[in-house]
Amino acid sequence: MTLPFLPPDFATQHWQVTKPAARGQRGIVVSQSRAAAEAGIAVLEAGGNAADAAAATAFALAAMEPWNSGLGGIGFAVIHRPGQASAEILDFGPVAPAASDPADYPLTGRMKLDLFAWPEVEGDRNIHGPLSFAIPSSVAGYGTLAERFGRGLPLSALLDPAIALARRGLPQDWYTTLKIANSAKVLRLYPESARIYLPDGLPPVAPYQGKPGFFPLGRLADTLERLRDAGWRDFYEGELAASIAGDVAAMGGRLSAADLAGVRPEVRPALAIPWRGRYTLQGAGGLTAAPTLARLVEAMAPLEPGEAPDAVWFGALARAMRQAYAERLEGLGAAAAEATPPEPSETCTTHLTVVDGDGMMVAMTTTLLSSMGSRVVLPGSGVLMNNGMMWFDPRPGSANAIRPGARPLCNMCPVTVSDGAGPVMALGASGGRRILASVYQMLAFALDFGLSPEAAAHHPRIDVSGPDGASADRRLPPDVLAALDAQGGLSVVEHSVLPVNFACPNLVRREAEGFAGISDVMSPWSAALAAH
């Protein structure tokens, strides 16, 4: 007897994953790395505020998540003081070096499906290597965050946890193996990167049994100690700056000492986005995803939410997001090139969210752009550099073209929420063009449907990253999937560690007796921790 058998759709995970929330009255730190969150908690418990804790967490992430962020990156933060209706933005976003030259990026005549569907550049020199560097401003961002908004703690208080983590080394577990293996093909092209991350020419692997152990991160710990002892401006005008500029020049890059010396993060008022007359979102504005978030909020406002997210709601959200992306990409001048979303590709971004006991909230998103950024570790400093030049359209004359000192469009979307009397929630996500969808859904789950932080974080989501298609978590009900499928271009996908099909959000919010926070469910190292 022959039985007809069609192989079912393959699923990587046959388990149900949950993450605990943290609750307390003295503050919450949420990060994609528990060890980095512990650094932030230590600062809160030592008398620092949310800005101090966010800076310490971000510095620690340089040692704990080299694929997601670090000293060679860029970012944006929303800082919302207690008792204030409006927030402020700290912009340390991407800027092209002053010597940037479009002629450095000759086109092959083919399209490149990476994070963006740009025309392909010879040698992928806008994606990896020394010509992919935008000006690194993360150190200035973290330093300014603490100086401008913190409580005046010494720099050692913010950097000592990061130094200790860097001295210990990077955990050599399965997740580290996975992240490094995904970049190994390019890491091997750059000697210092290969020396650190590909010992014996292969990604480090955890032992079959026992504790995973750790491995060193080149000169990173020395550089963190130099920042502590000489001040963070040394990265831009001192010995570290000279080392960075010298290494880049030796590699043939365009980033210069003058570019570093000119780094000055900007503080400005947040973009206010009304939410159903009850709340006001505070976004980063400018060339982030916040203006598109405002358009999405406006488009969804006429739909009165029901008791729970249903087929009607998800269908309306998918249509509104497609339209918002069509407008965003048309305004960019690259709608034709971007009409088909690129194949899934790993992004290198982290988001952290902090609230202190007084109610000050900080939402900060920082990135190297691609996973492990440019894949170039500078040998003199151990700094893993960003590949921010990939944010630009390599076609000369386009709206988002490569130009000296230009700022590109990017997808980061840190947000706080005000009830008029002060901040009540802060959130954001990592995940490139998937960030916007996750941030809006987390906002709606919490503000419109009244879900707890735990319920919001665990609720299945959709993703719309372009005008022509959508992805949906296979755990969504059949009627929701049917409504989305009727719009065309639907992919039903698994929410897994890898492939990455959804962004990684986290949040903190005020509750009746203190604060609560939750981290991304599928990120294995992420955690929300409460101060004691």
Side-chain angles (χ1 to χ4, degrees):
M1 180 179 179
T2 301
L3 294 176
F5 179 79
L6 294 176
D9 290 339
F10 178 78
T12 298
Q13 298 171 174
H14 298 279
W15 56 63
Q16 293 181 348
V17 180
T18 61
K19 275 284 176 75
R23 285 182 166 81
Q25 296 181 341
R26 296 191 58 197
I28 305 284
V29 179
V30 192
S31 170
Q32 291 178 196
S33 161
R34 180 187 175 95
E38 289 171 340
I41 288 293
V43 168
L44 286 182
E45 293 178 345
N49 67 8
D52 296 315
T57 302
F59 278 123
L61 285 168
M64 285 303 303
E65 277 193 321
W67 41 80
N68 276 356
S69 66
L71 305 186
I74 58 88
F76 295 86
V78 182
I79 304 96
H80 206 146
R81 303 176 195 264
Q84 300 294 316
S86 300
E88 294 173 272
I89 303 305
L90 178 63
D91 179 345
F92 52 106
V95 179
S100 297
D101 186 348
D104 288 336
Y105 308 92
L107 305 180
T108 67
R110 298 183 294 269
M111 295 301 293
K112 183 74 175 181
L113 293 182
D114 200 278
L115 297 184
F116 311 105
W118 298 137
E120 184 180 59
V121 172
E122 288 184 8
D124 286 338
R125 60 186 70 172
N126 62 328
I127 297 176
H128 61 83
L131 289 173
S132 70
F133 303 163
I135 302 171
S137 53
S138 283
V139 171
Y142 308 157
T144 301
L145 176 64
E147 286 184 358
R148 180 78 175 261
F149 299 97
R151 288 181 175 156
L153 270 61
L155 199 52
S156 59
L158 308 182
L159 279 164
D160 280 348
I163 293 167
L165 291 169
R167 287 286 177 214
R168 184 191 68 178
L170 189 65
Q172 194 167 316
D173 69 359
W174 66 268
Y175 187 55
T176 295
T177 300
L178 181 67
K179 301 298 285 189
I180 293 175
N182 272 287
S183 296
K185 184 177 180 180
V186 183
L187 287 170
R188 65 181 180 175
L189 302 178
Y190 303 103
E192 184 69 358
S193 307
R195 184 182 73 83
I196 293 171
Y197 293 109
L198 302 174
D200 302 319
L202 295 169
V205 296
Y208 187 72
Q209 296 177 334
K211 294 183 178 181
F214 306 91
F215 68 95
L217 288 170
R219 298 291 306 278
L220 179 62
D222 295 336
T223 290
L224 289 166
E225 287 187 349
R226 175 70 187 176
L227 292 175
R228 178 195 64 193
D229 298 338
W232 63 262
R233 283 302 307 177
D234 193 77
F235 195 90
Y236 299 99
E237 297 174 305
E239 290 183 11
L240 286 175
S243 173
I244 292 167
D247 281 347
V248 173
M251 295 176 180
R254 295 290 188 177
L255 177 69
S256 71
D259 289 323
L260 294 170
V263 170
R264 295 290 188 279
E266 177 187 355
V267 176
R268 61 174 183 268
L271 173 68
I273 306 171
W275 185 285
R276 299 190 185 280
R278 300 196 303 271
Y279 301 102
T280 303
L281 311 185
Q282 306 287 312
L287 294 172
T288 70
T292 307
L293 173 63
R295 179 69 184 91
L296 181 59
V297 171
E298 180 184 15
M300 290 293 288
L303 178 65
E304 191 64 32
E307 293 184 0
D310 56 14
V312 172
W313 186 82
F314 275 112
L317 176 60
R319 286 190 295 272
M321 286 212 64
R322 288 189 185 199
Q323 181 59 36
Y325 262 108
E327 294 173 2
R328 178 178 176 88
L329 298 175
E330 183 178 1
L332 177 60
E338 293 276 3
T340 301
E343 294 297 314
S345 183
E346 221 180 346
T347 59
C348 181
T349 303
T350 200
H351 180 82
L352 60 98
T353 316
V354 184
V355 61
D356 61 31
D358 294 331
M360 180 183 194
M361 294 188 179
V362 175
M364 180 159 66
T365 309
T366 70
T367 187
L368 298 178
L369 184 50
S370 291
S371 185
M372 305 199 82
S374 65
R375 289 77 159 187
V376 177
V377 177
L378 302 181
S381 61
V383 172
L384 178 58
M385 294 294 286
N386 71 80
N387 65 335
M389 296 305 290
M390 191 171 66
W391 266 306
F392 293 97
D393 185 340
R395 291 171 294 187
S398 65
N400 194 42
I402 295 169
R403 298 183 303 277
R407 291 175 173 264
L409 195 72
C410 61
N411 299 293
M412 287 169 278
C413 196
V415 174
T416 65
V417 181
S418 172
D419 65 356
V424 296
M425 188 163 69
L427 71 159
S430 67
R433 280 171 54 179
R434 298 181 178 90
I435 289 174
L436 178 60
S438 72
V439 168
Y440 181 84
Q441 285 169 93
M442 292 292 280
L443 285 165
F445 292 164
L447 302 181
D448 285 349
F449 298 107
L451 298 188
S452 67
E454 296 96 324
H458 291 82
H459 198 291
R461 304 193 305 270
I462 67 171
D463 177 70
V464 179
S465 299
D468 294 333
S471 299
D473 191 320
R474 66 190 185 123
R475 297 173 299 164
L476 285 165
D479 64 327
V480 172
L481 298 179
L484 296 169
D485 189 50
Q487 297 182 21
L490 178 68
S491 296
V492 179
V493 296
E494 192 175 2
H495 190 183
S496 57
V497 175
L498 198 77
V500 179
N501 293 310
F502 300 92
C504 304
N506 61 56
L507 66 80
V508 298
R509 73 173 304 175
R510 181 181 293 277
E511 292 189 335
E513 297 183 359
F515 309 98
I518 189 76
S519 68
D520 175 58
V521 175
M522 291 311 304
S523 297
W525 288 1
S526 73
L529 302 177
H532 298 294

